[in-house]
Amino acid sequence: MSDPRDEDDDAALFRDAIGPVRKLPESPPPPMPARPRARARMAERDETAARDEFRLALDEHLAAAGDVLAWQDGLPDSVYRRLRRGEISAQEELDLHGSDARTAEALLRAFLSDAQRHGLGCVRIIHGKGGRGDADVGSSGAPILKNMVDRMLRQRASVLAFHSAPPAQGGTGAVVVLLAPPKRR
């Protein structure tokens, strides 16, 4: 066993060799990570609830395969009548046949944005009648793509009006859409 006095002597020798010591100033603590930005959680919940209620309300009025899609927002009757009759020609066309609902929704959003950005006034969207298989028709028996197109067009601020195409242009399996001119900056 070692003698405890030897250990004291070692500590005393060490302190003598080092000399006087002074205490270092305390360093500031490391910076805290930034606090997350405040979120309006109640507003997000309200918006989600409103969106769900809106979808449920739309699901109550689903269009059938042969139903005509029609909607206008403050457009003069003479212009809407011309659209309905097929007298306004479509400048571009989007065919959604064979697309699943999620892909079709993304394609439709991009198509409408691109059409408005390029100043197109009228476009045609072919959604089909939904009678080709189980993938085309929802559990309610209503055509999925047709109702998705109807719902999306009603929500877009750039859409002035739409109506199912005349029989020669696709009938109730397509819709002709009148777009607002692009906003000037």
Side-chain angles (χ1 to χ4, degrees):
M1 281 186 103
S2 63
D3 190 5
R5 284 178 284 160
D6 288 341
E7 290 177 13
D8 288 339
D9 289 340
D10 286 343
L13 282 173
F14 179 75
R15 280 192 291 279
D16 286 340
I18 289 185
V21 288
R22 60 185 164 89
K23 188 174 180 180
L24 292 174
E26 288 189 29
S27 62
M32 297 293 290
R35 293 181 124 196
R37 296 186 73 192
R39 285 184 19 216
R41 288 190 188 112
M42 291 299 286
E44 288 173 3
R45 276 189 239 143
D46 289 346
E47 190 169 318
T48 301
R51 194 177 311 119
D52 291 342
E53 283 182 38
F54 182 68
R55 283 192 178 123
L56 287 174
L58 287 175
D59 289 345
E60 292 174 5
H61 305 289
L62 293 174
D67 290 350
V68 171
L69 298 183
W71 179 84
Q72 72 166 333
D73 186 28
L75 194 66
D77 287 336
S78 60
V79 176
Y80 186 64
R81 199 172 319 135
R82 288 183 57 220
L83 178 72
R84 214 174 53 230
R85 291 179 187 157
E87 295 173 1
I88 302 174
S89 63
Q91 297 163 300
E92 277 295 325
E93 182 175 274
L94 173 66
D95 190 348
L96 298 174
H97 275 117
S99 300
D100 62 89
R102 183 168 291 177
T103 304
E105 185 175 349
L107 287 170
L108 183 56
R109 284 182 197 280
F111 176 72
L112 291 173
S113 295
D114 191 49
Q116 189 179 29
R117 188 172 45 253
H118 286 92
L120 301 181
C122 185
V123 296
R124 181 175 27 258
I125 300 162
I126 301 170
H127 48 70
K129 294 182 182 179
R132 294 220 171 137
D134 293 338
D136 294 343
V137 179
S139 59
S140 64
I144 295 171
L145 292 181
K146 182 174 188 167
N147 284 289
M148 184 271 303
V149 168
D150 182 42
R151 181 172 51 236
M152 280 190 62
L153 292 177
R154 290 174 189 268
Q155 294 174 358
R156 299 287 295 212
S158 62
V159 174
L160 297 175
F162 62 87
H163 196 279
S164 288
Q169 297 177 20
T172 57
V175 66
V176 182
V177 182
L178 196 60
L179 298 172
K183 292 183 179 167
R184 305 275 185 237
R185 290 185 188 181

